[in-house]
Amino acid sequence: MVPLRGVLVIGLAAGLTSALCDGIGLSSGAIAYGAVIAAVVVRPDFSRWPLAIYPVLLLVVGFCMAIGVALGLALASVPQVFVFGLVAALMQFLTLLLPGKLRLLSGVMAVAGVLPLLSSSPSWGDWGQQLLAIALGLASGTALQLAFASAEVPPGESPAQGSAEPPLAERVKAGLQSPFFWRKLVFASLALAIGEGIGAVTPKYLYFGVVLLLNDSIGDTLARVRDRMVGISLGVLMPLLVFNTLGIGPLQTGLVMGGTAALVMALNSANYLRTALISSGVAFVGYGPLVAWYIPHRWIDYLMGCGLALAVGLLLFPTSALRRYRQLEADPAASAQQLQRLLPAAREEARWLGLPLPELERT
């Protein structure tokens, strides 16, 4: 029953946020931001986010988007591919400043910084509207989840306790010494230029592919490629169906987002839910009447981004999670925790190579 309730709340949150944003006169681009955030902030199991996530997320997203707007305006006469690459590189440097508890926001920073540059004319007015829409989405999704939650709500996540974190200077130094950091920075900066060079219709998705998919281990990259492609593929079905039958509007937005969530749940593919919701929201709300044109091009260009991420991972500083797992498995001094951290990436690597999947046997 919880999945069905979660589907209902996701649809209501997206539709309500879309109607609120439209009612106060926000732009279609800002409405897309709000609807997507409202949908992805809802947890199908109705567990609560830590309260600190809301101000931190707004602060990080607002700050990174402000950098994109400021540089976009200051360098308006410079070719966009250069400005895009500059902001992409700057976002990678800023991720080095994140403490361990906020490291999961690295991807958010990389995406938020370039979002204003997706428009041909970034402005502070658009920045304010988009940030307001995000705040409305967070509020709507959270309020509806609380309203529909049962009496016994799972507690929020508590920060993981671990060893003391090294000082900021040491974290930055370690990041600058990592070849994986420079690998991602260089190709994130060049992704848009590569996309334009190979004739991609929506070349920005090569950037998203490199930034969000490329990881230290080829096994991690393979897992992310699979998850993103499955999620995106599931997320384009409902926008096409609803657009071609019911048109566009706040009610239809709720049907698209709720329908996408229902499809993912019906296929027992909850791991792909957020990617599918983002895919649906961007396609249906962000592109509106262009949704039928946009979806095939987005899928193809994101596939190109996946290919670029895989090529970079295989050719530059390749590391094998499966090989490392086998080495630790043969080492009596290795702990079960070390093996557990490597297991998902090692299993993904083995699956793609057609090898027996490793199993965690050590206790």
Side-chain angles (χ1 to χ4, degrees):
M1 196 63 186
V2 170
L4 290 177
R5 194 151 37 98
V7 165
L8 174 63
V9 173
I10 287 171
L12 286 174
L16 175 61
T17 302
S18 179
L20 287 172
C21 292
D22 187 48
I24 61 177
L26 298 187
S27 66
S28 59
I31 294 173
Y33 284 53
V36 169
I37 289 295
V40 299
V41 79
V42 175
R43 285 180 156 180
D45 64 356
F46 284 76
S47 61
R48 297 175 184 172
W49 292 100
L51 288 177
I53 193 68
Y54 299 103
V56 169
L57 183 62
L58 277 175
L59 180 63
V60 168
V61 170
F63 175 71
C64 293
M65 289 176 61
I67 292 176
V69 173
L71 289 178
L73 292 174
L75 302 174
S77 60
V78 175
Q80 188 192 40
V81 67
F82 174 81
V83 181
F84 199 98
L86 177 63
V87 174
L90 184 56
M91 290 302 108
Q92 291 302 311
F93 280 115
L94 289 178
T95 60
L96 296 178
L97 306 179
L98 290 174
K101 293 179 181 179
L102 300 180
R103 200 63 48 79
L104 290 176
L105 293 179
S106 297
V108 173
M109 293 181 69
V111 170
V114 302
L115 285 179
L117 302 179
L118 302 184
S119 167
S120 58
S121 54
S123 70
W124 289 112
D126 288 342
W127 173 83
Q129 287 197 23
Q130 290 158 2
L131 211 56
L132 175 58
I134 290 171
L136 287 173
L138 289 172
S140 299
T142 302
L144 284 169
Q145 177 175 311
L146 289 174
F148 280 81
S150 59
E152 295 183 3
V153 178
E157 296 175 349
S158 57
Q161 299 297 323
S163 57
E165 191 166 284
L168 175 62
E170 291 185 17
R171 298 202 310 270
V172 172
K173 182 179 179 181
L176 294 176
Q177 291 176 342
S178 168
F180 303 112
F181 168 78
W182 291 103
R183 181 181 69 175
K184 181 177 282 191
L185 182 144
V186 169
F187 281 91
S189 303
L190 296 176
L192 184 64
I194 293 172
E196 292 184 353
I198 62 178
V201 177
T202 52
K204 60 181 177 287
Y205 286 102
L206 271 78
Y207 168 80
F208 294 144
V210 168
V211 166
L212 298 177
L213 301 179
L214 194 61
N215 211 322
D216 297 358
S217 148
I218 188 61
D220 284 327
T221 298
L222 288 168
R224 292 188 179 198
V225 165
R226 179 206 61 201
D227 291 350
R228 295 284 172 178
M229 289 311 302
V230 172
I232 286 174
S233 299
L234 292 175
V236 300
L237 300 177
M238 287 300 166
L240 281 176
L241 176 62
V242 173
F243 173 75
N244 288 312
T245 56
L246 300 174
I248 297 174
L251 175 61
Q252 289 87 334
T253 296
L255 290 174
V256 165
M257 303 303 271
T260 295
L263 175 64
V264 172
M265 295 297 184
L267 295 175
N268 197 26
S269 302
N271 290 339
Y272 311 124
L273 179 60
R274 283 181 188 154
T275 301
L277 289 173
I278 293 171
S279 178
S280 290
V282 171
F284 189 80
V285 191
Y287 278 76
L290 297 176
V291 62
W293 167 88
Y294 166 76
I295 283 176
H297 292 302
R298 179 179 192 256
W299 197 92
I300 292 170
D301 292 343
Y302 204 98
L303 185 62
M304 291 182 185
C306 291
L308 178 59
L310 288 174
V312 172
L314 287 169
L315 298 176
L316 296 176
F317 313 111
T319 61
S320 166
L322 181 59
R323 187 180 303 116
R324 178 61 178 157
Y325 185 91
R326 296 301 187 199
Q327 291 172 347
L328 288 175
E329 198 175 34
D331 183 0
S335 67
Q337 287 77 12
Q338 289 177 297
L339 291 169
Q340 184 66 50
R341 282 195 296 269
L342 278 174
L343 184 60
R347 288 176 64 87
E348 189 66 28
E349 219 174 304
R351 189 178 291 113
W352 283 65
L353 293 173
L355 299 174
L357 300 183
E359 301 291 344
L360 185 63
E361 299 178 356
R362 188 173 305 182
T363 58

